Amino acid sequence: KSKEEKRSLAYSIVSQVVNKQWEIIDLILPMTNDKDRLNYCWSQAASEILGILETGKDAGFTTLGDPSIFSTFGYILEQVKKLNPETQVEVIPGISAINSIAARIGQPLVQGEENLVIIPALKDIHLEELNGIFDNLVLVKAGGQVERIIEWVDSQTKPLNTFLVSRCGFEDEVCTDNLKSIASRDLDYLSTVIIKSKKEGSD
């Protein structure tokens, strides 16, 4: 979880479907741009995990979506291997937000010879650098950047289809193919925008 006082979102999901009395260890993994603090927290988390393994127990690290796509798991795995290269790790793939959202809106992510670009839509995003080089663009972590994305879409000369899904699968999910309709809303960090080039003959 990102803060001591918060509950792990990943655990809140897992606990609804797993009927076992697990020993739960909360790892504090903050959302910050402070590299030194991040490295310290990742190292501390890895040490806690290794401490459990050294007692002869197995440990599982739960994460949202897929552990190979924008997941803290990758950093934890790197630190675990750094501290003990002999640690046996099994990575179980999950369904990423990107795949879930494509299914939710009923749109393929990529077809035929099309290309696909996936980037985090953070404050330093430079969308203008992507002009004309993509067929399908996925912007993750887009909750605070919708107005900038709309401006960029409006500046494009070729027609585009846009979709946004925020908190996919939760009760308060937001799903729209009209970004301007939610431009002024305070959207969650867990928001993804998919932008697709319109095909000839499509509406």
Side-chain angles (χ1 to χ4, degrees), residues 149-165:
I149 294 169
I150 291 171
E151 290 178 4
W152 181 80
V153 169
D154 286 345
S155 73
Q156 300 303 292
T157 56
K158 63 179 180 180
L160 302 170
N161 286 319
T162 59
F163 309 89
L164 177 141
V165 181

Side-chain angles (χ1 to χ4, degrees), residues 25 30 33-34 56 79 83 87 117 127 133 136 142 149 165 177 186:
I25 306 296
N33 292 321
D34 185 335
Q79 290 293 327
L83 293 171
T87 304
V117 180
L127 288 171
I133 67 171
N136 304 279
I149 294 169
V165 181
D177 60 1
D186 185 16

Side-chain angles (χ1 to χ4, degrees), residues 53-85:
L53 298 179
E54 287 169 1
T55 69
K57 297 178 181 179
D58 290 333
F61 181 93
T62 59
T63 185
L64 296 175
D66 183 274
S68 65
I69 300 180
F70 295 115
S71 173
T72 302
F73 171 77
Y75 302 110
I76 304 299
L77 175 60
E78 183 179 2
Q79 290 293 327
V80 166
K81 287 293 190 178
K82 181 179 179 181
L83 293 171
N84 186 351

Side-chain angles (χ1 to χ4, degrees), residues 102 106-117 134-137 161 194-200 202:
Q107 292 286 331
L109 285 171
V110 63
Q111 291 180 299
E113 298 181 358
E114 294 176 350
N115 57 33
L116 174 67
V117 180
F134 70 89
D135 298 306
N136 304 279
L137 173 62
N161 286 319
I194 295 179
I195 303 173
K196 301 176 67 67
S197 298
K198 284 188 177 180
K199 298 179 181 179
E200 290 186 13
S202 65

